[in-house]
Amino acid sequence: MNAASHRFADAVRAGRAEFRTGLVEDLPLPDSTFDKALSVHTVYFWQSLRAGSAELHRVLKPGGRVVASSRRHIWTG
């Protein structure tokens, strides 16, 4: 297990983070939940880039930022 995995596991145990599953096109979260959204090496699994992007922006607070990356591209917004 790498250092980032250990930090995440510690955060979950401490109640500072939780793990959820869902589709990026239909996230099980209320509007304006996060300041930042990060998607690393998952964009090619999305059913719709447009719907996934819209959904990430929906769960961001006003002024929030999205960063998504694939093997060859990085998108920010």
Side-chain angles (χ1 to χ4, degrees):
M1 191 184 275
N2 65 33
S5 296
H6 283 290
R7 284 192 306 272
F8 180 68
D10 290 343
V12 170
R13 279 191 291 278
R16 296 186 316 272
E18 62 184 78
F19 183 79
R20 294 188 187 186
T21 60
L23 299 174
V24 70
E25 298 88 359
D26 187 27
L27 294 171
L29 301 162
D31 294 355
S32 302
T33 302
F34 299 105
D35 296 312
K36 300 172 189 142
L38 176 65
S39 174
V40 179
H41 295 293
T42 63
V43 174
Y44 23 77
F45 299 112
W46 298 7
Q47 297 295 313
S48 165
L49 185 58
R50 183 181 303 249
S53 296
E55 188 68 351
L56 285 175
H57 281 89
R58 180 188 69 77
V59 300
L60 284 177
K61 294 176 182 175
R65 299 280 302 195
V66 172
V67 175
S69 69
S70 68
R71 292 180 186 165
R72 294 191 175 99
H73 297 82
I74 295 176
W75 299 272
T76 62

